[in-house]
Amino acid sequence: MSKSKGLTFKGGIHPSKDGKALSSSAAIQDAPLLKEYQLIIQQNIGAPPKLLVAKGDEVKKGQLIAEAGGFVSVPLHSPTSGKISKIDSIPGPMGIPVQAVVIAADGEDQWGELMESMDWKAAEPQAIKDRVRDAGVVGMGGAAFPTHVKLSPPPGKEIDCLILNGAECEPYLTADHRLMMEYPEKVLEGAAILGKALGVTDVYIGVEVNKMDAIDTLLAKADDYGVKIVGLQVKYPQGAEKHLISAITKREVPTGGLPMDVGCVVQNVGSAAAVADAVVEGKPLIDRITTVTGEPVKNPSNWRLKLGTPVIEAIKFAGGVVCEPGKVILGGPMMGFAQKSLLVTVTKNTSGILLMKKDEITQYQSVACIRCGRCVDACPMNLQPGSLSAAIESEKFDLAAKNNIMDCVECGSCAYVCPSNRPLVQHFRRAKAEIRKITKK
Ligand code: SF4
Ligand code: SF4
């Protein structure tokens, strides 16, 4: 393993408060069974799954509820046994209503028929990819991109390296940390299975060196699975795909390019564990580890939550609140999304539920750019955030595109250091959406 300060990339920031101590020593707990789950139908990037059930249908735990709607899509499975009480519109994590299957749990939590356990060492790579798709596995670090698609590079793209992201560089989140500590063999076996599916032998797990206990736990078994453990510097956004690749392999993904352009595939450690569950145990993805944390939470902790669990119930599992929160975020404070409703439910990419106190939330007044250049130093993608923001404010989306706005990973490092409190990420998200609309025409 690479020791000392760990490997890293150019740019990035060190957030002043990392908040991880609140929950990093809290062992993963299985959430109590609820009476109802509201399963958002589209939980993946790409085509929405096609619903296979209707109101009144009985379902078992793990039963197929919706099939993949195309190649870039995944199926969806029931998180428990019970009856479909309705298909309804509920608050979505992005602030707009979404369709959900509402399941009245029967309290039995009884599995339906599982898929057969695979002898993955003897299996064909395509059989593993099919199983990963059938189990509904997506990027669980936040992206929710179908995992089987990343395992299927187009002809001509040679992959020789798989990297698992165990950096968990977002402040406050500790779900991946606990997963690596408590289920190291599942993560390692998932890594080896993914390596077999890709036909690569260079398999790495990158972990920030603020999680030395997880590094040591993985190292104790890593050789058994042919996986290398790499210590990474504690810096945000160390877990972004291109920065993991840069830190571990010294390869630079070109502007507008993808990891596969430099022979790499990156997956999250949570997705690797889900792959091991799917391949070894035949279980589809129906729950995930989520950190419920922040100073207003009575007992910040890590939970195995079934998909479809309302956020308000997850907060109750963690003991409720000790003061009124000023903000509730799904994900971490840097890249997560503030929520308008606590009735929004857990999906495959809900890595954290973060509550912030009212006095931690500052309403900033944005003022003019003073051209200090701090955003340029912080940007890990070598962009010029201040100039890009000015172009976008003038609706010059073509200029923003020419200056590589599509490379922005929306990490928020520029906004974090900006003394003028410019709403940089909001500008970049808007510009990227506008450019996508134009290029799709
Ligand atoms: S411009 Fe994009 S990639 Fe660069 S620091 Fe800002 S949000 Fe991150
Ligand atoms: S950090 Fe803010 S004020 Fe400084 S150059 Fe960038 S956008 Fe302008």
Side-chain angles (χ1 to χ4, degrees):
M1 192 201 87
S2 311
K3 289 196 184 270
S4 71
K5 284 169 65 189
L7 304 175
T8 195
F9 62 96
K10 179 187 159 296
I13 57 168
H14 296 93
S16 56
K17 192 170 181 183
D18 93 340
K20 288 184 186 282
L22 287 173
S23 59
S24 59
S25 55
I28 297 165
Q29 300 175 70
D30 287 330
L33 194 61
L34 294 172
K35 289 198 171 122
E36 184 179 277
Y37 294 89
Q38 300 180 2
L39 194 63
I40 293 174
I41 297 171
Q42 178 152 25
Q43 303 198 14
N44 61 276
I45 284 187
K50 291 183 198 153
L51 209 53
L52 299 173
V53 292
K55 181 180 170 184
D57 287 356
E58 306 264 357
V59 288
K60 293 284 188 216
K61 181 174 171 179
Q63 183 176 323
L64 190 63
I65 282 213
E67 62 184 3
F71 177 60
V72 186
S73 182
V74 288
L76 190 64
H77 303 80
S78 180
T80 191
S81 54
K83 193 183 239 186
I84 310 292
S85 60
K86 57 186 166 179
I87 315 277
D88 205 359
S89 176
I90 66 164
M94 303 304 285
I96 49 173
V98 290
Q99 285 296 106
V101 177
V102 181
I103 302 161
D106 61 12
E108 302 291 322
D109 205 31
Q110 197 177 45
W111 280 101
E113 202 178 330
L114 296 178
M115 296 175 281
E116 265 181 34
S117 175
M118 284 176 83
D119 175 4
W120 60 267
K121 287 183 184 157
E124 288 296 321
Q126 189 56 50
I128 297 174
K129 294 175 200 175
D130 291 347
R131 170 61 60 89
V132 170
R133 178 201 59 213
D134 293 346
V137 184
V138 298
M140 292 169 73
F145 190 79
T147 298
H148 68 276
V149 178
K150 275 195 181 179
L151 296 177
S152 313
K157 296 287 182 196
E158 292 298 322
I159 305 298
D160 64 2
C161 175
L162 167 68
I163 299 173
L164 288 200
N165 177 10
E168 201 167 48
C169 59
E170 269 270 8
Y172 287 92
L173 303 188
T174 56
D176 287 349
H177 183 179
R178 294 308 313 178
L179 177 72
M180 293 184 285
M181 285 285 294
E182 296 179 48
Y183 298 94
E185 297 206 53
K186 193 170 282 210
V187 172
L188 289 162
E189 187 162 23
I193 295 169
L194 289 163
K196 163 92 185 186
L198 285 163
V200 304
T201 50
D202 267 348
V203 180
Y204 300 90
I205 302 180
V207 186
E208 282 190 344
V209 294
N210 58 357
K211 295 181 263 296
M212 282 311 296
D213 49 359
I215 289 177
D216 289 340
T217 304
L218 290 169
L219 272 174
K221 297 276 178 188
D223 284 350
D224 299 350
Y225 295 90
V227 175
K228 300 178 223 9
I229 311 301
V230 182
L232 303 168
Q233 239 184 65
V234 181
K235 187 162 69 164
Y236 180 84
Q238 186 67 79
E241 284 189 342
K242 294 176 184 179
H243 307 113
L244 270 176
I245 293 169
S246 169
I248 293 175
T249 69
K250 306 295 171 220
R251 301 176 194 175
E252 298 297 330
V253 178
T255 288
L258 293 168
M260 69 173 77
D261 295 325
V262 292
C264 295
V265 165
V266 179
Q267 302 278 358
N268 167 264
V269 286
S271 303
V275 164
D277 279 341
V279 170
V280 180
E281 297 181 35
K283 288 180 179 166
L285 174 53
I286 58 162
D287 55 30
R288 64 152 299 136
I289 314 299
T290 300
T291 306
V292 184
T293 191
E295 296 197 14
V297 176
K298 187 170 181 199
N299 304 312
S301 38
N302 299 289
W303 291 85
R304 184 183 300 281
L305 298 177
K306 289 183 186 294
L307 306 179
T309 300
V311 160
I312 192 161
E313 298 296 337
I315 295 169
K316 286 186 203 161
F317 296 152
V321 294
V322 291
C323 62
E324 195 186 341
K327 199 186 247 189
V328 176
I329 297 170
L330 285 194
M334 298 300 293
M335 291 189 75
F337 288 89
Q339 298 300 305
K340 288 195 286 194
S341 169
L342 295 184
L343 299 178
V344 65
T345 64
V346 169
T347 59
K348 294 178 182 182
N349 63 350
T350 309
S351 51
I353 298 169
L354 170 63
L355 276 61
M356 304 200 81
K357 289 196 298 189
K358 283 190 168 161
D359 62 10
E360 290 178 294
I361 312 299
T362 316
Q363 298 294 338
Y364 290 116
Q365 187 67 38
S366 167
V367 295
C369 171
I370 56 168
R371 303 195 178 188
C372 65
R374 287 188 206 173
C375 54
V376 178
D377 291 340
C379 180
M381 297 307 297
N382 295 322
L383 300 176
Q384 307 235 343
S387 313
L388 282 166
S389 160
I392 293 159
E393 273 186 316
S394 312
E395 309 269 311
K396 291 179 182 161
F397 299 119
D398 51 344
L399 184 60
K402 208 168 136 197
N403 286 296
N404 305 322
I405 184 65
M406 299 311 277
D407 281 352
C408 169
V409 294
E410 300 174 22
C411 66
S413 299
C414 51
Y416 184 82
V417 298
C418 177
S420 296
N421 303 314
R422 307 276 297 151
L424 299 168
V425 182
Q426 287 89 333
H427 283 166
F428 303 154
R429 284 188 180 138
R430 175 171 165 243
K432 287 166 79 176
E434 291 294 334
I435 292 164
R436 279 195 200 103
K437 264 194 248 164
I438 296 163
T439 49
K440 269 188 191 160
K441 274 183 189 166

